[in-house]
Amino acid sequence: SFYENKCYDSAIFYAKEFLKIPGDKFYCDVYDVLFKCYKMKNDLDNAQKYLFKSLDKGYNGMKDNIVCDTNPILNSYLIFNKEINAEIKFRFYQNQNFAKNDSLIHLLFTLIKYDQVCRANTDPKYTAGIDNPDSVRKKWSAIDSFNLNVIKSIIIKYGWPGYSILGWEGDNNLWALVQHADKDVIFQKEVLELIGKSLLVNNTNRRNYAYLLDRVCMNINGTQLFGTQVRYADSTRFELFPLQDEINVEYFRHAFHLLSLKEYINYYKEHFHLKK
């Protein structure tokens, strides 16, 4: 009632008092109230904080009245989340083989789908105003910053969740978001160590470890071990970043279940219609 009467400070106070009560049966709804209150107060940091808490506890209604007009990235994300909710339910809620956190899977699936749509410029609803290279880079940068805040909160809470919590696809989606987190190489390096430990107990994908290791090395010194990272000479040509060990690269790739370098290059050329 405080929220409905626009008494946002009072609503925030009592919502936080409610959170002190043991048990978390209604936390999802309380986090949603806090999100909406902070959104109305234009406190974006706290609005995002409680949005993510709400999602983590299972809220996925995404009604129109909670769209945040103060942040176009958050606004687009919420609209996108609402639209693909049915697909998420079909793919995950009906197939809970060994994944244990559906709400977290839901969140990661939405983030990576939105990331892919924006990078591919496939839907004008989410890519408005990005019709030149500078605008594209700014949009991608904003999305990466937004995603980075989310995945940091996940890593802080779970470490590397792995297959046991996320299932195969959820694990892959979280890795892909970390792979794009080039703004914080220290964070990427820390996550790499967590993935390495998870790999020892077969709780994640060794190929993803190889890709992230190359990404970290590329960001630090411009070289790579497995030969997974490329750069573009122009719109039709690409080249591999320098290899640390050209003699043994095929051995490293085989050990981590990667295609041979020749097969990988040919796949890259065909898939993206490029020349090497």
Side-chain angles (χ1 to χ4, degrees):
S1 60
F2 284 116
Y3 172 76
E4 293 171 353
N5 291 318
K6 299 182 180 181
C7 300
Y8 303 125
D9 289 331
S10 296
I12 290 170
F13 173 79
Y14 285 107
K16 289 184 175 179
E17 287 296 306
F18 187 88
L19 290 175
K20 296 178 183 179
I21 301 174
D24 63 355
K25 184 177 180 181
F26 302 105
Y27 279 11
C28 172
D29 294 329
V30 177
Y31 289 143
D32 178 46
V33 169
L34 287 167
F35 163 67
K36 289 188 283 190
C37 287
Y38 280 117
K39 184 263 294 189
M40 297 305 297
K41 287 168 61 68
N42 291 325
D43 185 342
L44 183 60
D45 289 339
N46 276 312
Q48 289 184 353
K49 172 184 175 182
Y50 286 105
L51 167 66
F52 300 143
K53 283 180 176 290
S54 180
L55 285 169
D56 185 54
K57 290 298 181 183
Y59 179 77
N60 55 38
M62 292 301 164
K63 299 178 177 61
D64 292 334
N65 66 344
I66 68 168
V67 174
C68 182
D69 298 325
T70 61
N71 183 336
I73 297 298
L74 182 58
N75 179 53
S76 296
Y77 163 74
L78 289 173
I79 295 172
F80 187 77
N81 184 82
K82 179 181 177 184
E83 291 181 351
I84 69 166
N85 192 45
E87 182 179 353
I88 293 169
K89 286 184 177 179
F90 175 77
R91 296 185 65 173
F92 295 119
Y93 288 75
Q94 303 303 320
N95 182 21
Q96 303 179 33
N97 293 332
F98 56 102
K100 299 179 180 179
N101 192 320
D102 289 335
S103 61
L104 187 55
I105 293 170
H106 179 144
L107 172 60
L108 291 169
F109 182 78
T110 306
L111 289 174
I112 198 64
K113 281 289 230 179
Y114 180 59
D115 179 272
Q116 290 170 348
V117 165
C118 292
R119 289 180 190 278
N121 292 342
T122 57
D123 193 324
K125 285 186 294 185
Y126 314 115
T127 58
I130 55 172
D131 53 352
N132 63 73
D134 287 338
S135 296
V136 170
R137 281 191 289 270
K138 288 179 181 178
K139 179 76 171 182
W140 288 358
S141 178
I143 292 169
D144 289 342
S145 295
F146 179 82
N147 290 342
L148 182 59
N149 289 330
V150 183
I151 60 179
K152 278 187 174 181
S153 66
I154 292 171
I155 297 300
I156 289 172
K157 181 174 182 178
Y158 296 97
W160 188 257
Y163 296 150
S164 60
I165 294 177
L166 298 177
W168 183 89
E169 190 163 7
D171 179 82
N172 197 66
N173 288 340
L174 181 55
W175 159 79
L177 292 168
V178 174
Q179 189 81 354
H180 289 160
D182 295 317
K183 288 186 175 183
D184 195 337
V185 182
I186 294 176
F187 172 69
Q188 285 182 318
K189 189 175 180 180
E190 291 172 349
V191 174
L192 181 68
E193 294 179 5
L194 294 174
I195 292 178
K197 293 177 181 178
S198 190
L199 188 60
L200 294 175
V201 292
N202 297 317
N203 195 35
T204 193
N205 189 329
R206 67 177 63 196
R207 287 188 292 272
N208 291 345
Y209 179 87
Y211 272 84
L212 185 57
L213 177 62
D214 274 0
R215 191 79 163 206
V216 170
C217 291
M218 178 197 75
N219 283 327
I220 292 175
N221 58 33
T223 66
Q224 57 180 331
L225 184 65
F226 295 95
T228 63
Q229 302 300 297
V230 305
R231 55 189 172 192
Y232 298 93
D234 54 44
S235 60
T236 62
R237 296 180 182 276
F238 74 97
E239 62 183 6
L240 294 174
F241 276 86
L243 296 171
Q244 296 174 13
D245 188 345
E246 293 186 18
I247 295 176
N248 294 305
V249 64
E250 295 293 6
Y251 167 78
F252 298 141
R253 293 183 67 88
H254 178 74
F256 280 77
H257 297 177
L258 297 170
L259 296 172
S260 72
L261 201 55
K262 182 179 180 180
E263 291 172 323
Y264 177 65
I265 290 171
N266 287 336
Y267 165 80
Y268 210 94
K269 287 161 60 176
E270 293 174 5
H271 186 73
F272 295 102
H273 308 291
L274 298 169
K275 300 176 183 178
K276 187 174 184 296

